[in-house]
Amino acid sequence: MSGERRTFLFLQGPHGPFFYRLGKMLTAAGCDVWRVGFNKGDDAFWFSNKTYLPFTDPQDTWPDRFREIVAEKSVTDIVLYGDTRPIHAQAVEIANELGLQVHVFEEGYLRPYWVTYERGGTNGNSRLMDMDVDQMRKALEGLDLDLPDAPARWGDMRQHVFYGAVYHYFVFLRNWKYRNFRPHRAVPVTKEFRLYIKRLMTMPFTALGRAAATYRIKHGGFPYHLCLLQLEHDSSFQMHSPFETMTDFLDLTIDGFAKGAPAHHHLVLKAHPLEDGRVPVRREIRRLAREKGVEARVHYVRGGKLASLLNTARSAVTVNSTAAQQVLWRGFPLKVFGEAVYNKPEFVSTQSLPEFFVNPTRPDSKAYRDYRHYLLETSQIPGGFYSARGRRQLLRQVVDMMLVAEDPYDALTSGTATPRQQLHVVN
């Protein structure tokens, strides 16, 4: 594509102004940029009417409209956040058919101070799914850099929640132009908006309850295993796991713990930082623990810093949470059930869950360090979507990566990858 003028078509992005800032920088680089908006929340964060294309028709007409836009605007590239929501999955399929370049953003595999940028797909659709550690080591030959440790906390949670609330305010109260819009999640927009507002209002009380629960666990003097929970509506859980609901995973985990763990061990279930109560996780944990006779040894912690609990855990269990990367970085045993870019035989246990709770096998830490090095040299970009400083740091590097012909993985193999920025704290 180096010989033609590039035209980037943006679809839905992370809440907030990141996609607009990215579009401005691509324009400054000499590219044409357009944005398709599917609701008022998309509209509110794209500050240029001249380059904004509202899609207000019934959603079953989207594939045909997408083809029309590609032809009318001479689109060469599409840009999107997450590749599994229906409007994105349809666009990616057509883009592949037409030979367009597909740029996909996602939360960092090594979050919180990194963002994932890949071509074609992320998570279960990532090229990493088909790579083994030996291939990664070969690509790293000749590189010998000290890499930053895994961060201990989420970098910009307040901004994330704030932009989510603003986005859903516009969709809830000012969406009359987009009457045909249907969210990709099952929860109605009205409830989603109320959940964001409730989360903002109750943050101080949640923090107090979390601190108390964490104190009891850290000072309890008992060995414990950590279960990393996810959002039931998250695409990784919905599209790349064997479970229909979070309750299914909770039932399997607590049952395995009850059958296998020594009687003096405990199980700590840590909620995702954005857990908002749409699924009664706490209630289900209490019910299942009571049914299986381990109620006194099962604890629930809502959000918060992972490191404070992880550093003294015996092992960790998850479906396919990216937080598991911090488990592996520390060399702790890990059991996973879903598709994940880190689900490699060198890293994760193949034991049954009861066996895992008795005597979990440890990962090959040297292999994981090479894997992590590979990610930091390719698809993991320092910065974030939600804070101003995080966006600035991200834009310094990712635009150049989008403009080159090779994707991050091929660029490293061919020796054309640009040097990576050293990580600095992002607030």
Side-chain angles (χ1 to χ4, degrees):
M1 294 184 182
S2 58
E4 63 178 312
R5 185 176 180 87
R6 305 277 289 276
T7 300
F8 287 80
L9 180 67
F10 283 67
L11 302 183
Q12 289 194 297
H15 300 150
F18 170 69
F19 261 21
Y20 177 71
R21 304 298 181 198
L22 177 60
K24 282 190 67 176
M25 192 166 287
L26 286 167
T27 301
C31 304
D32 293 325
V33 170
W34 298 91
R35 169 72 188 269
V36 179
F38 299 85
N39 57 54
K40 188 62 180 178
D42 295 340
D43 190 341
F45 287 114
W46 191 265
F47 311 110
S48 170
N49 292 331
K50 293 181 180 179
T51 58
Y52 182 77
L53 305 171
F55 177 75
T56 58
D57 297 330
Q59 292 202 14
D60 60 3
T61 68
W62 164 240
D64 290 338
R65 179 57 183 145
F66 176 72
R67 290 180 182 274
E68 291 174 358
I69 295 172
V70 168
E72 291 170 2
K73 306 300 184 185
S74 301
V75 172
T76 59
D77 302 69
I78 65 170
V79 187
L80 46 96
Y81 171 73
D83 59 346
T84 58
R85 63 185 69 180
I87 55 176
H88 286 174
Q90 292 169 338
V92 169
E93 182 178 359
I94 296 169
N96 290 333
E97 173 193 327
L98 298 177
L100 308 182
Q101 192 68 264
V102 179
H103 306 266
V104 186
F105 286 88
E106 186 55 272
E107 304 294 342
Y109 295 145
L110 302 177
R111 67 179 64 177
Y113 296 127
W114 289 275
V115 159
T116 297
Y117 165 70
E118 295 185 272
R119 304 274 179 93
T122 59
N123 293 312
N125 297 322
S126 168
R127 287 185 59 188
L128 291 169
M129 298 297 295
D130 298 320
M131 295 185 196
D132 59 41
V133 176
D134 286 339
Q135 290 173 303
M136 298 177 187
R137 283 171 167 160
K138 185 175 181 180
L140 289 169
E141 289 178 356
L143 294 176
D144 185 18
L145 299 175
D146 290 331
L147 297 174
D149 289 341
R153 66 182 180 86
W154 186 287
D156 38 22
M157 177 57 64
R158 288 170 298 178
Q159 294 95 327
H160 193 157
V161 174
F162 169 75
Y163 281 126
V166 172
Y167 178 90
H168 286 94
Y169 157 76
F170 280 105
V171 177
F172 177 33
L173 295 177
R174 303 186 61 183
N175 211 47
W176 53 83
K177 182 178 178 180
Y178 301 88
R179 291 183 176 88
N180 291 309
F181 171 70
R182 298 293 180 270
H184 63 285
R185 294 171 178 165
V187 173
V189 173
T190 52
K191 184 175 181 180
E192 189 112 22
F193 174 65
R194 289 196 297 269
L195 288 169
Y196 269 100
I197 295 299
K198 180 181 177 182
R199 177 163 178 76
L200 280 171
M201 298 296 292
T202 59
M203 271 186 166
F205 305 102
T206 300
L208 287 174
R210 179 171 61 239
T214 302
Y215 181 87
R216 289 194 297 270
I217 293 163
K218 292 179 68 175
H219 292 80
F222 45 75
Y224 63 87
H225 306 267
L226 193 60
C227 179
L228 306 175
L229 301 180
Q230 296 163 248
L231 301 175
E232 186 179 273
H233 59 269
D234 182 77
S235 62
S236 291
F237 186 92
Q238 291 291 325
M239 306 298 293
H240 304 300
S241 88
F243 303 106
E244 292 291 330
T245 68
M246 182 58 65
T247 298
D248 295 336
F249 172 61
L250 294 173
D251 189 11
L252 179 70
T253 301
I254 297 174
D255 185 67
F257 173 78
K259 291 177 177 177
H264 62 293
H265 283 207
H266 289 229
L267 178 65
V268 176
L269 298 107
K270 182 186 177 300
H272 188 280
L274 289 174
E275 180 59 59
D276 55 18
R278 71 184 66 187
V279 175
V281 174
R282 183 195 295 270
R283 187 182 69 196
E284 288 296 278
I285 289 172
R286 287 176 174 171
R287 178 182 67 82
L288 291 167
R290 186 167 54 249
E291 288 178 0
K292 300 178 192 305
V294 291
E295 185 176 11
R297 296 193 287 137
V298 173
H299 312 264
Y300 175 74
V301 179
R302 186 171 176 180
K305 299 178 182 180
L306 174 59
S308 61
L309 290 172
L310 180 55
N311 286 337
T312 50
R314 286 289 308 274
S315 69
V317 178
T318 189
V319 177
N320 52 11
S321 170
T322 56
Q325 301 270 6
Q326 293 194 40
V327 179
L328 293 171
W329 180 242
R330 288 163 172 79
F332 291 178
L334 176 67
K335 178 71 178 177
V336 301
F337 292 93
E339 296 178 343
V341 294
Y342 57 81
N343 192 351
K344 309 290 183 187
E346 295 89 347
F347 310 151
V348 303
S349 173
T350 59
Q351 300 166 285
S352 71
L353 200 51
E355 291 173 338
F356 179 81
F357 282 123
V358 173
N359 187 24
T361 56
R362 296 180 60 178
D364 181 341
S365 294
K366 187 177 186 304
Y368 179 73
R369 183 175 180 84
D370 292 336
Y371 163 87
R372 184 171 180 271
H373 187 173
Y374 182 79
L375 262 60
L376 290 172
E377 290 289 345
T378 54
S379 62
Q380 302 304 289
I381 318 301
F385 297 126
Y386 307 105
S387 70
R389 184 183 294 183
R391 288 192 295 272
R392 290 195 298 269
Q393 189 166 13
L394 178 56
L395 290 169
R396 289 189 183 104
Q397 189 155 341
V398 76
V399 174
D400 288 339
M401 296 176 67
M402 296 174 69
L403 293 173
V404 299
E406 294 178 301
D407 81 353
Y409 305 120
D410 290 335
L412 181 64
T413 301
S414 66
T416 60
T418 56
R420 308 312 297 272
Q421 298 175 12
Q422 288 298 309
L423 180 71
H424 300 286
V425 174
V426 177
N427 292 312

